[in-house]
Amino acid sequence: MKSSPLTHIVLLSAALAQVASLSYPRAELLGRFQFKNAGFVSFFRNTSTRGVRYDMLVSSFGFLESDVAVVLDVGAQLKNVSAIKPISINKKMKWPNFVSGIPEQVLESKVPFIVIPDGFLVPGKEHGSLTLQPLYGGASSVISGTTGSWFYHYVQWVDMDKDGTLDALTCKAQKPLIGAYKTQMVWYKNPKDHSLSHPWPENVIASGPDVLFAFTKVNVSGSLREVIVTAEYFHPRIRIFWTKSTEQDWSKTALIQSRDIDNLSPGQGAPFDVIISDVNRDGNLDALITLNDPKNGTVLVYEFPEDFRSGTFKRHVIASGYAEETGSPNAGAPGYIELLPEKDESKKPSILVAGDDSGIVSILDPVKPTNPRDWNYKRTDILHTEKSTVGSARVADVDGDGRPEIFVSSYNEGQFYVYRI
């Protein structure tokens, strides 16, 4: 007995409805590889006559031994992720944080170098440093000096005194046995000869900034002004710094100004990470910030006013509800953030959120990608480790196929997850 055309139509409609109801993952898990006490991840982009390749920099937080390691040409190893084995390049660090490559013009060297911000408030790890060393092996050099038990997390390279050389801009913090945290934003002056035989001169910008910050340039009445936005964790506040120097010379400390973007009340969480970008694609810069909290961590956006020196930074909460799950003392969530690549310049980029002690990695997708006035985002958790701290999640198209990869460090599990989006 032959079925009627109507039967075929009904069956086809049912099949299409079933396909439409399937839930496709926001990110495809390619695999995972082992790395004990996985901490941070970043990428060193190599360009040569053979093309572009990405070397992956990773760090570990060990109570007895920490490690800085590299995965050479990680994009060529994605067909067998579980076989990836980072190569150790420095096991003498105490608590290596955001390891990153440095621009070639910093040392005017053809040999690629990395910077290792080191140390933390964990007992025995307090005496940190800023260390430079060749990426592919060689002697390391401390540029931050050896006075005091300071720890460092992150570096940006900026010509702070306008002498034509890039200097190391960073924040540092310490916790004495008795008393409150001591924190400073400083920069280390790059000598004209780029010597690494002795520490570089230190210049203090201000007390208060402690861990993460973002340097950028803002257009005010047709003039580009240098600013630094600080996410101050230990004494929760968000500030913006600038200089009244005509040359924008930060060595003239008497001309440095600052104001609060947001002075947070207890219970709102502590500022953790900060990114400056045009988040909503309206042509103006925004500050994208995470507030780390044990029970209700959030992701915020502050819109820059026409004049950052006097205008109001309008605040938007775009995600909330991140809660720590590790049970560790002083645990909180979320942590680091990054904008995902968006090829269409008219569309708002999605946001990658590393959940820190929540053990979660999220992607925040704009509900209305082309509407700059809409601040609603849909949260999709692509990973939930439950009891493992997710220290960082970073994105790059490491194999050049047009689909970026996400690399996630999972500290307690001692491994990295690799996704493709």
Side-chain angles (χ1 to χ4, degrees), residues 170 334 408:
T170 188
V408 179

Side-chain angles (χ1 to χ4, degrees), residues 275-355:
I275 292 175
I276 307 299
S277 184
D278 182 3
V279 176
N280 65 335
R281 293 293 193 261
D282 67 347
N284 300 310
L285 289 178
D286 309 289
L288 178 64
I289 290 176
T290 52
L291 293 186
N292 188 276
D293 187 75
K295 296 180 179 179
N296 186 29
T298 55
V299 182
L300 310 176
V301 175
Y302 292 89
E303 295 186 73
F304 270 72
E306 287 188 12
D307 190 336
F308 63 83
R309 295 166 294 190
S310 57
T312 299
F313 286 79
K314 190 174 181 180
R315 168 178 166 160
H316 305 275
V317 178
I318 62 172
S320 61
Y322 291 92
E324 75 88 11
E325 296 186 10
T326 64
S328 302
N330 303 314
Y336 290 90
I337 43 177
E338 186 170 4
L339 296 177
L340 295 181
E342 175 54 68
K343 295 179 181 179
D344 188 342
E345 289 295 323
S346 68
K347 291 184 177 180
K348 294 179 286 189
S350 297
I351 300 165
L352 179 65
V353 183

Side-chain angles (χ1 to χ4, degrees), residues 150 169-174 180-187 202-212 228 230-241 250 253 256-260:
W150 298 94
L169 174 63
T170 188
C171 291
K172 64 179 186 176
Q174 64 175 210
Y181 288 97
K182 294 181 180 179
T183 59
Q184 291 180 333
M185 179 162 55
V186 302
W187 59 278
E202 181 183 89
N203 301 267
V204 178
I205 295 175
S207 296
D210 44 30
V211 180
L212 296 174
I228 306 169
T230 59
E232 301 178 26
Y233 181 86
F234 295 114
H235 304 286
R237 65 197 295 198
I238 303 166
R239 281 195 285 177
I240 185 167
F241 291 80
W250 293 82
T253 54
I256 295 175
Q257 306 284 302
S258 70
R259 60 170 292 208
D260 286 346

Side-chain angles (χ1 to χ4, degrees), residues 18-27 378 380:
Q18 184 177 12
V19 170
S21 68
L22 291 176
S23 177
Y24 292 98
R26 182 63 177 84
K378 177 186 176 183
T380 302

Side-chain angles (χ1 to χ4, degrees), residues 149-166:
S149 296
W150 298 94
F151 56 87
Y152 303 78
H153 268 74
Y154 175 67
V155 174
Q156 276 191 265
W157 297 95
V158 180
D159 184 1
M160 298 297 288
D161 56 356
K162 305 303 176 283
D163 68 345
T165 60
L166 295 180

Side-chain angles (χ1 to χ4, degrees), residues 12 23 49-50 53 60 63 74 94 112 117-118 182 221-222 250 271 275 284 308 314 344 380 390-391 399 402 407 416:
L12 178 60
S23 177
T49 55
R50 294 178 294 176
R53 80 173 196 190
S60 71
F63 284 95
V74 65
K94 293 180 173 63
D118 190 35
K182 294 181 180 179
S221 301
W250 293 82
I275 292 175
N284 300 310
F308 63 83
K314 190 174 181 180
D344 188 342
T380 302
V390 174
D399 60 354
F407 291 77
F416 280 92

